[in-house]
Structures are given as structure tokens and as C-alpha cells.
């Protein structure tokens, strides 16, 4: 399954340099594929598109970056995507099961 992670970290120049250096040598957990990553040009945030079917791999990945706060969203079909985002952000409640 595909996921999008919004990673936020302090805009400290030393920390950002450390994170960039660690990222170059980081080995992803088994079953975890980083499809694409984007960095905010102003620093302090990145967007990571990854694929995995293993929840343990997600936990390993996030645990490897303790100074980063992750918001992780599953990639869903576009016709239901916006509703899933609003539910995650707590702006609406999910519909009751039928």
C-alpha cells in the first residue's frame, strides 16, 4: 500500500545538516520502498511517498528519526481522498457503518 508522510522538524541549521547526512547513508527497513521525497525549500518539512505492506516497517522508519514528527496518510482513490483527509484532521466524523 502507498502512503504519504509529512515530516516536520526544527529549522535548526545544524540539525538539518545532520538529518541530510544521515539520510544519505540510511538503509530502509525490509519491505519499505521510498518512492519519492520532496524537501521544503524553506526547511523544516518534507513530504515522503513510500510503499509498504508491513506496519512494523513504518514503525522502524519513524523510530529511526526521533527528532522528526510524522503525519502519515494512506493513498486512497481520488473520489474518497478528500474525505479521508478531513476525517484524519478531525474536521468531520466518519460515516457510521451500514
Amino acid at each position: 500500500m502507498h502512503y504519504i508522510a509529512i515530516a516536520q522538524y526544527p529549522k535548526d541549521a545544524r540539525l538539518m545538516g545532520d538529518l541530510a547526512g544521515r539520510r544519505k547513508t540510511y538503509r530502509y527497513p525490509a519491505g519499505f520502498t521510498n518512492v519519492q521525497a520532496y524537501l521544503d525549500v524553506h526547511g523544516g518539512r518534507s513530504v515522503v511517498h513510500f510503499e509498504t505492506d508491513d506496519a512494523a516497517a513504518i514503525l522502524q522508519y519513524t523510530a529511526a528519526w526521533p527528532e522528526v514528527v510524522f503525519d502519515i496518510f494512506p493513498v486512497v482513490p481520488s473520489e474518497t481522498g478528500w474525505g479521508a483527509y478531513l476525517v484524519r484532521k478531525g474536521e468531520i466524523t466518519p460515516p457510521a457503518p451500514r
Side-chain angles (χ1 to χ4, degrees):
M1 183 166 183
H2 288 260
Y3 296 88
I4 297 293
I6 309 295
Q8 296 182 38
Y9 43 89
K11 290 184 180 182
D12 176 90
R14 186 189 60 77
L15 175 63
M16 289 170 55
D18 179 50
L19 290 173
R22 284 175 35 211
R23 186 176 180 272
K24 289 180 181 179
T25 59
Y26 180 72
R27 295 188 55 104
Y28 292 97
F32 187 104
T33 303
N34 181 344
V35 177
Q36 188 71 31
Y38 304 92
L39 296 174
D40 182 346
V41 296
H42 299 290
R45 184 174 51 190
S46 65
V47 177
V48 181
H49 173 196
F50 66 90
E51 181 180 10
T52 187
D53 288 327
D54 184 9
I58 297 172
L59 292 174
Q60 283 181 297
Y61 175 71
T62 58
W65 307 94
E67 56 279 279
V68 178
V69 176
F70 290 93
D71 285 321
I72 300 175
F73 304 92
V75 174
V76 295
S78 61
E79 59 272 1
T80 59
W82 186 245
Y85 173 76
L86 292 176
V87 168
R88 170 70 169 91
K89 295 302 270 182
E91 294 180 19
I92 63 171
T93 56
R98 295 179 189 202

